[in-house]
Amino acid sequence: MDLVEVLPNRLHMLRFPIGQAYLWQDGDALTLVDAGHVDSAAEIEGAIRSLGLLPERLERIVLTHCHRDHVGAAGELAARWGARVLAHRLDAPVIRGERPVPEPVLLDWEIPLYAHGLTVPEAPPTRVDRELEDGDALAFGDGAYAVHAPGHTDGSIAIHLPQHGVLFTGDCIAAVGPLMLGVFNVDRGRAVASFRRLAGLAPSVTCFGHGDPLTMDTAAALAEAAAGTPA
């Protein structure tokens, strides 16, 4: 796992072989956006300690959607350090293991990529302490809130921190190569609409589920990519 500073003393990316998570700091209080794969809890804890922070100050884990490379270690981290797990109402039953993970409608070129993604170990059933809706306020980042961004999954969300100009997109948008719509969507039309909605937030820093954060000319790049993505 690589630990990458995005904003000094505020935001770090935790990059795994497939996917990534983000650690946000409000002083000593910590929020994790997504949680890596099931075996990544020790690495995440080590990353927190390497920053001179205490894992017991992890207050919440916000899951952008129900896929295994985002949910995996959430349950173990929450049980170990007392963090609350938050996810959208529509993905919460999948995260808890009450419903199966929805099957995406794959484009031909996505098929081998999807097979590679399935090499990540399945996430165990994980509790969800708070089920989110669009616009729900989140008690970190000086006024973060959830943005429902369906299409990748029904309950996909982004997290917007308007006071800091930061947007976490989950897998709605990807930056692996050119900025693009995320892959493996259950509903491409809704995913494109979500992409355009998120671009309309005009953030200055955007953090993706896959690909390096965008920190320069961010709003313009998002707007251009969204406008050029057909439904």
Side-chain angles (χ1 to χ4, degrees):
M1 184 202 77
D2 296 323
L3 180 64
V4 180
E5 183 180 77
V6 182
L7 295 175
N9 301 314
R10 277 291 192 177
L11 177 60
H12 286 79
M13 177 176 67
L14 290 72
R15 182 164 51 202
F16 304 100
I18 296 178
Q20 51 220 25
Y22 294 90
L23 183 70
W24 178 267
Q25 299 172 231
D26 288 303
D28 293 333
L30 306 176
T31 296
L32 194 64
V33 178
D34 290 325
H37 58 85
V38 67
D39 297 321
S40 62
E43 290 181 296
I44 292 171
E45 178 183 336
I48 291 171
R49 293 189 186 280
S50 75
L51 296 170
L53 302 169
L54 298 175
E56 52 263 42
R57 295 302 309 274
L58 182 61
E59 295 186 355
R60 68 191 60 78
I61 302 168
V62 187
L63 301 176
T64 61
H65 62 288
C66 61
H67 287 160
R68 60 180 70 185
D69 55 324
H70 295 256
V71 173
E76 182 176 348
L77 290 168
R80 185 178 297 177
W81 303 114
R84 300 182 73 220
V85 179
L86 291 68
H88 191 273
R89 170 180 57 84
L90 295 177
D91 271 19
V94 181
I95 294 166
R96 290 193 295 260
E98 298 165 0
R99 295 180 186 170
V101 177
E103 290 292 332
V105 179
L106 297 175
L107 303 175
D108 288 345
W109 64 269
E110 292 179 325
I111 293 173
L113 293 176
Y114 187 66
H116 179 60
L118 293 179
T119 62
V120 175
E122 286 190 32
T126 299
R127 77 173 198 260
V128 176
D129 300 299
R130 180 183 173 192
E131 296 187 8
L132 300 173
E133 298 284 358
D134 184 53
D136 278 357
L138 307 174
F140 75 98
D142 301 304
Y145 67 93
V147 182
H148 189 205
H152 184 64
T153 65
D154 290 339
S156 287
I157 57 171
I159 309 300
H160 190 206
L161 283 62
Q163 295 300 315
H164 298 276
V166 173
L167 179 68
F168 301 94
T169 73
D171 283 359
C172 180
I173 309 171
V176 181
L179 195 62
M180 61 181 286
L181 182 72
V183 296
F184 316 150
N185 298 300
V186 299
D187 187 323
R188 179 182 173 85
R190 296 183 79 196
V192 172
S194 293
F195 188 174
R196 292 173 180 166
R197 182 187 181 194
L198 297 184
L201 297 174
S204 55
V205 174
T206 302
C207 298
F208 311 98
H210 300 271
D212 290 339
L214 188 58
T215 60
M216 297 287 291
D217 300 319
T218 304
L222 284 174
E224 181 180 1
T229 302

